[in-house]
Amino acid sequence: MNFPIYMDYHATTPLDQRVLDGMMPYMTSKFGNAASRNHSFGWEAEEAVETARKQIASLIGATAKEIVFTSGATESNNLALKGVAEMYAERGNHIITASTEHKATLDTCKRLEKHGCRITILPVMADGLIDLDMLREAITEKTILISIMYANNEIGVVQPIAEIGRIAKEKGVLFHTDAVQATGKIPVDVTKDNIDMLSLSGHKIYGPKGVGALYVRRRNPRVQLTAQMDGGGHERGMRSGTLNVPGIVGLGKACEICRDEMPTESKRLAALRDKLKSALLANLDETYVNGSIEHRLPNNLNISFAYVEGESLLMGINDVAVSSGSACTSATLEPSYVLKALGAGDDLAHSSIRFGLGRFTTEEEIDYVIGKVTEVVKKLRELSPLYDMFKEGIDLSKVQWTAH
Ligand SMILES: *Cc1c(COP(=O)(O)O)cnc(C)c1O
């Protein structure tokens, strides 16, 4: 085994060697600008970009012409939301999203709100799913866009995308989904699910960092976006800027590999994840899985270990790279807004750990993590007066705490 063990695949993934091999020529001898029309260097680069477009389209049930390359999913989300808000301003100004979205969506909505948009942020239920009746009720005459993520990056919960797509289509509202965590991990089909725009990112699927794409539907309906970057009019006028050819080649190759290997990979990871979950829940009491288990990515496990500080647990298992449910912002530790949206108290949110499994996770690593987490949680609880009181049967919610 190699230490530290990487179990944070939702944050980023290592580059697959096969992806790097595909990219290398485009960083060395095949360095042309894909927009150069006058010589073979340009043609060669353009051909590689078109191959990548097909590989990406094929993973999500789209056509090559519907793929717009960006610098990553943050940009894709910005382009989708701002591009629609600007283009369809005469039709309406209302956008619907959800409380557990990535900041790239929520903060873009905040910005649009400052510019006159009305934003509805749907709450989620205790299992992390949105309520479809609430979605239906939120739609008004002025609604131009619904943006709901495919799968959540903290808790791996997969939203009812096909149903959301159906509702959006019925009401004539555009539907964008941030599918960064879902593409390449579970089957995604923009046609079947009536998705009008979809964001994806290279570095979450064993491709390079700094490259992503936005799928933009061309037919039924034809989605139009106001460009957010002015310049040479690349990408059908939607995103100017010289194409990142090696990055795009890598993104394409990464999508092709995911498409070929998804059936076996997802089954393998789900089995490892289930082993991790069952063992931790069996070894440790007062341990809870956050978010729906049924509607969940195969590679995600998010667990709260009551009476244990996530940060202390992280330090105790410092040879395992995972994330905690606390976001370190300047001086304070904020509990995760995603876990809070599920109704978790600050305590449970602070005691949560996200385990993200991936292509290079082995069973040996899972076994090590089970042993290590069990040992450290037990040790930390031995030091916890609250856990002692809980063991003695004292109802902590009824204790009157006084400050001295
Ligand atoms: C990582 C991530 C993003 C941001 O993607 P970048 O390519 O890093 O900008 C957006 N949404 C979700 C759900 C993510 O996990």
Side-chain angles (χ1 to χ4, degrees):
M1 254 186 301
N2 290 322
F3 290 98
I5 291 170
Y6 189 71
M7 216 168 270
D8 202 15
Y9 279 82
H10 301 290
T12 194
T13 57
L15 198 65
D16 189 301
Q17 181 65 46
R18 294 166 290 180
V19 171
L20 180 61
D21 292 343
M23 292 169 67
M24 254 339 218
Y26 297 92
M27 292 194 276
T28 50
S29 57
K30 303 184 178 187
F31 57 83
N33 184 329
S36 296
R37 290 282 145 81
N38 302 319
H39 48 69
S40 61
F41 292 91
W43 304 332
E44 191 173 58
E46 196 198 5
E47 199 184 313
V49 167
E50 293 317 308
T51 300
R53 246 187 250 287
K54 286 191 202 124
Q55 289 166 321
I56 298 159
S58 156
L59 179 64
I60 60 171
T63 61
K65 282 186 176 164
E66 296 174 306
I67 304 301
V68 173
F69 290 112
T70 64
S71 64
T74 298
E75 187 188 337
S76 299
N77 287 353
N78 270 265
L79 177 56
L81 274 71
K82 292 174 181 170
V84 163
E86 218 176 311
M87 180 60 75
Y88 296 87
E90 282 182 14
R91 190 182 296 178
N93 68 343
H94 180 223
I95 295 173
I96 301 171
T97 188
S99 55
T100 51
E101 292 292 312
H102 193 271
K103 287 287 181 192
T105 296
L106 291 174
D107 287 356
T108 301
C109 284
K110 264 191 212 158
R111 168 86 61 174
L112 287 170
E113 203 166 33
K114 280 191 195 134
H115 291 281
C117 282
R118 200 168 72 71
I119 311 290
T120 298
I121 300 179
L122 297 174
V124 295
M125 301 182 284
D127 60 4
L129 294 170
I130 65 159
D131 180 336
L132 293 171
D133 289 329
M134 289 188 81
L135 171 64
R136 267 191 214 95
E137 281 159 26
I139 298 172
T140 74
E141 293 283 285
K142 293 274 185 199
T143 309
I144 49 173
L145 179 67
I146 296 169
S147 181
I148 302 287
M149 73 199 320
Y150 210 115
N152 185 270
N153 47 300
E154 286 189 38
I155 51 178
V157 165
V158 178
Q159 296 291 350
I161 292 299
E163 283 83 351
I164 299 169
R166 208 172 303 136
I167 293 168
K169 185 144 186 87
E170 220 172 82
K171 304 274 187 181
V173 175
L174 294 176
F175 174 34
H176 164 255
T177 187
D178 173 347
V180 170
Q181 297 290 342
T183 42
K185 316 285 166 60
I186 55 175
V188 168
D189 189 323
V190 293
T191 312
K192 213 173 71 214
D193 293 346
N194 291 312
I195 295 164
D196 296 311
M197 284 165 287
L198 176 147
S199 303
L200 58 89
S201 175
H203 75 104
K204 306 288 176 83
I205 54 172
Y206 313 96
K209 292 174 178 59
V211 64
L214 179 66
Y215 155 79
V216 184
R217 178 175 288 282
R218 265 166 76 86
R219 294 176 55 181
N220 193 16
R222 180 186 185 86
V223 178
Q224 292 182 288
L225 295 177
T226 303
Q228 299 302 303
M229 191 96 76
D230 296 309
H234 307 72
E235 299 298 274
R236 295 189 289 124
M238 284 189 249
R239 203 279 193 176
S240 286
T242 299
L243 292 181
N244 168 6
V245 178
I248 287 167
V249 167
L251 176 57
K253 184 71 191 166
C255 286
E256 186 187 70
I257 296 171
C258 283
R259 200 190 122 157
D260 291 346
E261 302 186 352
M262 191 190 302
T264 45
E265 187 165 274
S266 64
K267 222 175 279 160
R268 188 182 78 87
L269 292 178
L272 290 179
R273 187 270 316 274
D274 290 343
K275 181 179 188 182
L276 179 62
K277 170 173 74 81
S278 307
L280 291 177
L281 294 187
N283 293 353
L284 299 161
D285 62 353
E286 293 298 297
T287 296
Y288 308 95
V289 176
N290 294 307
S292 168
I293 267 292
E294 192 191 344
H295 304 279
R296 197 184 196 94
L297 293 172
N299 64 326
N300 174 282
L301 183 64
N302 188 307
I303 293 195
S304 288
F305 302 91
Y307 309 107
V308 170
E309 274 284 314
E311 295 298 304
S312 319
L313 181 50
L314 281 192
M315 269 186 270
I317 56 168
N318 63 2
D319 51 1
V320 183
V322 289
S323 284
S324 78
S326 312
C328 222
T329 56
S330 57
T332 58
L333 272 180
E334 289 276 327
S336 147
Y337 68 91
V338 172
L339 296 179
K340 288 192 78 172
L342 265 56
D346 284 9
D347 289 356
L348 277 183
H350 274 308
S351 66
S352 82
I353 297 286
R354 174 183 72 182
F355 301 92
L357 285 58
R359 186 166 291 163
F360 307 107
T361 303
T362 64
E363 180 149 26
E364 202 184 9
E365 290 177 337
I366 294 289
D367 290 337
Y368 179 85
V369 169
I370 291 168
K372 187 79 182 210
V373 170
T374 302
E375 174 200 319
V376 173
V377 169
K378 282 188 171 159
K379 208 181 291 165
L380 289 170
R381 282 180 174 173
E382 271 168 29
L383 305 171
S384 160
L386 289 179
Y387 186 65
D388 257 1
M389 290 167 79
F390 160 76
K391 277 290 184 197
E392 284 163 24
I394 298 167
D395 184 348
L396 291 168
S397 66
K398 299 220 170 70
V399 173
Q400 299 281 317
W401 304 100
T402 48
H404 289 287

